[in-house]
Amino acid sequence: MGTNSTDDFILVGFSDQPQLEKILFVVVLISYLLTLVGNTAIILVSCLDPILHTPMYYFLSNLSFVDLCFTTSIVPQLLWNLHGPSKTISPIGCAIQLYVSLSLGSTECVLLAIMAFDRYAAVCRPLHYPRVMHSRLCQSLAGMAWLSGMGNTLIQGTITLRLPRCGNNRIYHFICEVPAMIKLACVDIRVNEVQLLVASLVLLLLPLALILISYGCIVQAVMRIRSAQAWHKALGTCGSHLLVVSLFYGTITAIYIQPSSSYAHSQGKFITLLYTVLTPTLNPLIYTLRNKDVKGALKRLVRKDQSTAE
């Protein structure tokens, strides 16, 4: 990573603000460690505690795994570049980062929509819920999320990497991301920008529309009951997911659904930091702090460890 090659890409990142780099290094490192601990804990309790062997926690453990891999594809390189004078990334490293992060980001978009459907089934069809959300359907839906992410990446990533760059190797970002990579091309990129917009509409706005429809149905169902207890239960069931959706979609749509001229601005870099570093850190915190089941499962696991140690 540290050796310079003429083929290497230069990730400009935050190099114009050296003081900010030092602060960001500490913030990103702490966030990454919390992401590793928090998401690993959710995967472990979801697998080890029989009470959490439900569709909601099956999808949640998938989300935690996506977040773990997503941040790991970005943060180690970011920390290396923030810490030292070298800001380079090899062409293979850049291609891997682009493919992996785009695939996992796309997977998360679809997964959050599937989780909203699961919440709709739990609140609006409680009596039929076990029959509707059976294990085979859950596995198929999770598989669909992963496949759609991979499919989008193979198309978008390959088109972007095949663009002629005429020696342009300065990426005005801290990661190899499609919008920033397109900017390096020395040919007319209007077709690529349209392709990116179409892919973003399909993989961002379509799942978001499904999430809004699911929550619209949930609100209607709860309003019909007109019970404070029902409202409280629905909020407990859906509140964590709504917070996670707001965090993720609020930041990622600001990057991918916007005029191309603003992609490389410093504002874009900070928004990208939010969904690549901060959101995966906050997701497990949101789910554990607002969720009695997860807190109970963590306590049971700790007690079990203590009793085995004795």
Side-chain angles (χ1 to χ4, degrees):
M1 266 190 241
T3 55
N4 261 323
S5 155
T6 50
D7 295 330
D8 284 355
F9 289 103
I10 298 161
L11 290 165
V12 175
F14 304 94
S15 54
D16 55 337
Q17 298 161 285
Q19 290 306 113
L20 179 66
E21 280 193 321
K22 290 170 186 169
I23 298 162
L24 281 177
F25 179 82
V26 176
V27 172
V28 171
L29 180 62
I30 293 166
S31 291
Y32 184 51
L33 294 173
L34 287 172
T35 300
L36 294 178
V37 172
N39 286 292
T40 305
I42 283 185
I43 293 166
L44 282 173
V45 294
S46 299
C47 293
L48 298 175
D49 197 300
I51 294 168
L52 301 188
H53 289 177
T54 63
M56 178 183 169
Y57 295 104
Y58 173 70
F59 294 129
L60 180 56
S61 56
N62 266 272
L63 181 70
S64 290
F65 184 66
V66 167
D67 279 343
L68 270 177
C69 299
F70 183 55
T71 45
T72 301
S73 73
I74 292 163
V75 171
Q77 179 70 48
L78 172 59
L79 288 170
W80 176 269
N81 288 0
L82 285 171
H83 186 255
S86 172
K87 310 292 178 192
T88 58
I89 184 170
S90 69
I92 293 170
C94 190
I96 290 168
Q97 189 179 73
L98 183 125
Y99 276 121
V100 174
S101 61
L102 181 58
S103 174
L104 293 165
S106 308
T107 301
E108 184 152 344
C109 291
V110 181
L111 198 56
L112 288 170
I114 291 165
M115 289 172 82
F117 172 72
D118 172 63
R119 295 300 80 216
Y120 157 78
V123 174
C124 301
R125 300 280 183 272
L127 299 175
H128 305 287
Y129 181 71
R131 201 166 72 241
V132 173
M133 298 303 290
H134 54 82
S135 60
R136 202 178 307 131
L137 177 69
C138 293
Q139 286 162 7
S140 302
L141 288 171
M144 184 184 77
W146 285 93
L147 284 172
S148 59
M150 287 175 197
N152 175 52
T153 303
L154 285 172
I155 297 163
Q156 281 297 310
T158 307
I159 289 169
T160 303
L161 291 170
R162 284 174 67 88
L163 285 169
R165 289 187 298 272
C166 306
N168 295 334
N169 68 342
R170 289 178 74 83
I171 302 169
Y172 289 91
H173 213 307
F174 62 85
I175 58 167
C176 294
E177 195 174 44
V178 172
M181 294 289 288
I182 285 174
K183 286 282 174 197
L184 301 183
C186 55
V187 291
D188 190 351
I189 56 168
R190 276 175 293 188
V191 173
N192 297 84
E193 286 176 347
V194 170
Q195 284 172 336
L196 176 64
L197 184 64
V198 171
S200 303
L201 288 170
V202 172
L203 273 154
L204 279 171
L205 297 191
L206 186 61
L208 185 57
L210 293 170
I211 290 166
L212 294 174
I213 291 164
S214 297
Y215 278 107
C217 294
I218 289 167
V219 169
Q220 275 186 319
V222 176
M223 281 179 84
R224 276 200 297 271
I225 302 164
R226 290 201 180 128
S227 149
Q229 194 183 354
W231 269 106
H232 186 72
K233 192 178 177 187
L235 195 65
T237 309
C238 310
S240 302
H241 182 254
L242 262 175
L243 265 172
V244 168
V245 166
S246 305
L247 271 170
F248 183 75
Y249 274 96
T251 50
I252 204 165
T253 48
I255 292 295
Y256 281 87
I257 312 286
Q258 68 169 331
S260 60
S261 57
S262 58
Y263 281 139
H265 288 179
S266 60
Q267 185 188 357
K269 283 184 273 195
F270 284 107
I271 293 168
T272 305
L273 261 183
L274 289 176
Y275 78 80
T276 55
V277 178
L278 197 65
T279 305
T281 307
L282 293 176
N283 284 359
L285 286 171
I286 290 165
Y287 272 103
T288 47
L289 292 173
R290 292 184 52 86
N291 197 304
K292 289 176 189 169
D293 293 341
V294 175
K295 281 193 273 194
L298 280 167
K299 281 175 190 167
R300 283 192 294 276
L301 262 182
V302 170
R303 268 194 234 114
K304 197 187 282 184
D305 284 349
Q306 285 172 344
S307 60
T308 50
E310 286 164 13

